[in-house]
Amino acid sequence: MSADQHVFQEYRRLLFSVAYRVLGSAADAEDAVQDAWIKWSSADRSQVADPKAYLTRIVSNLALERLRSTRHKRETYVGPWLPEPILTSGDTADAVMDAESVSMAMLVVLETLSPLERAVFVLKEVFGFSHAEIAEAVERSEAAVRQAAHRAREHVRARRPRFAADRSRRREVTERFFAAATGGDINTLMELLSPDVTLWTDGGGKVRQALKPVVGAKTVASWFSAIGTVTYQGVQPADMRAELVEINGGPGMVFSAPNRVIATVTFDFDADGRITAIHNVANPDKLQAITDGTAHDVATR
């Protein structure tokens, strides 16, 4: 490996971590990282004083451009648009800030920001870059970046999901939900769900899913208690496998057929550990990162 390749590999994890939070898509983030390598390998690196800042600037710009180009596609998406889930390592879950900033709930909130606000928020609030560094990265004035950072921070603060329940409690509730869902125990499911729980399902028009949020503990519990008794996407219950995994920094579930991943499920919790929201991704286009089986290290430091 050449010295230039070594430097790029040193920061590759960081570049993916930035791009994924800006884009909410593992596939798009990987493309942005690959494009960053192309730019890095063709640049005059003798003029680069700080490779980390230089590479972050490149990938931030690439992610911002890609986010703008995919904006219309997301606005015309069939049903709710959810981020593309990824498997994460235990180190991510151990760091509260890392886990919160990459959670499905947070990525959903970030989706409501403008592309510039999202990029600025990620770089400032998650990775701790200065306004001056971000201004250079996104090619805006420092004043414009400060304004975007303020708007984004206030917007996220008003909608920000909180990991009120501790990690062990969330894990315990997820394990009980898993057992109840796969065992058809509707009463236990009702105990675990907040009365106004909301289920968001993303099939992208590719597979049959609810096109609007499903609200209420009884309805959501009925939905999940039927998992072991109904055919789903042409897969018989006996042929479906479910497992507990870490998804986006928290406990989640993966449902698989013998030859493919069918869906992922992740949760939001209230202070008592009850489930307040469920994100169910079933669009096959968004499940490749789960299918690959790679656990991403998306730590911010």
Side-chain angles (χ1 to χ4, degrees), residues 185-201:
D185 184 352
I186 193 170
N187 291 326
T188 297
L189 290 171
M190 290 281 288
E191 291 176 14
L192 299 174
L193 298 171
S194 170
D196 58 351
V197 63
T198 302
L199 165 64
W200 303 84
T201 65

Side-chain angles (χ1 to χ4, degrees), residues 2-250:
S2 70
D4 297 329
Q5 288 174 316
H6 182 79
V7 169
F8 187 85
Q9 288 302 320
E10 180 182 353
Y11 295 113
R12 186 182 182 92
R13 180 198 58 75
L14 171 67
L15 301 183
F16 178 86
S17 297
V18 170
Y20 178 69
R21 286 173 171 89
V22 172
L23 291 162
S25 163
D28 286 344
E30 291 287 8
D31 286 346
V33 172
Q34 186 59 34
D35 289 345
W37 160 249
I38 293 171
K39 286 182 175 291
W40 168 253
S41 60
S42 62
D44 180 2
R45 291 175 297 280
S46 65
Q47 303 300 311
V48 178
D50 185 346
K52 177 183 176 182
Y54 184 86
L55 287 167
T56 302
R57 182 168 72 247
I58 290 175
V59 84
S60 299
N61 242 318
L62 289 167
L64 191 52
E65 290 172 9
R66 190 173 289 269
L67 184 60
R68 287 177 175 137
S69 69
T70 59
R71 198 71 171 176
H72 176 70
K73 185 187 297 185
R74 298 185 185 188
E75 289 170 351
T76 58
Y77 195 76
V78 178
W81 187 95
L82 293 177
E84 184 180 331
I86 58 173
L87 300 172
T88 48
S89 64
D91 291 343
T92 300
D94 288 337
V96 174
M97 178 60 185
D98 292 348
E100 181 180 3
S101 67
V102 81
S103 70
M104 295 292 281
M106 176 59 82
L107 293 177
V108 168
V109 173
L110 294 183
E111 189 64 20
T112 63
L113 299 174
S114 73
L116 178 63
E117 288 170 347
R118 183 169 183 166
V120 169
F121 181 87
V122 167
L123 292 172
K124 183 72 177 73
E125 301 298 324
V126 180
F127 290 93
F129 286 96
S130 69
H131 290 114
E133 289 171 323
I134 298 169
E136 188 173 2
V138 300
E139 298 179 347
R140 294 291 190 281
S141 69
E142 191 170 338
V145 164
R146 287 182 180 277
Q147 290 176 350
H150 176 75
R151 290 193 304 268
R153 189 166 52 249
E154 292 302 306
H155 183 95
V156 172
R157 183 179 294 157
R159 296 164 177 80
R160 187 177 210 140
R162 294 288 184 185
F163 286 173
D166 64 30
R167 181 185 176 187
S168 61
R169 173 62 174 159
R170 287 184 281 122
R171 179 74 186 186
E172 175 199 345
V173 171
T174 302
E175 289 174 349
R176 290 184 63 200
F177 185 97
F178 176 84
T182 53
D185 184 352
I186 193 170
N187 291 326
T188 297
L189 290 171
M190 290 281 288
E191 291 176 14
L192 299 174
L193 298 171
S194 170
D196 58 351
V197 63
T198 302
L199 165 64
W200 303 84
T201 65
D202 180 346
K206 303 293 180 67
V207 297
R208 188 175 180 182
Q209 289 285 342
L211 297 180
K212 294 183 178 180
V214 179
V215 181
K218 185 174 182 179
T219 307
V220 173
S222 297
W223 174 294
F224 279 98
S225 66
I227 284 175
T229 61
V230 299
T231 299
Y232 181 70
Q233 294 187 35
V235 182
Q236 297 291 332
D239 296 327
M240 190 179 300
R241 181 169 59 92
E243 60 180 323
L244 283 171
V245 295
E246 184 185 309
I247 301 176
N248 288 74

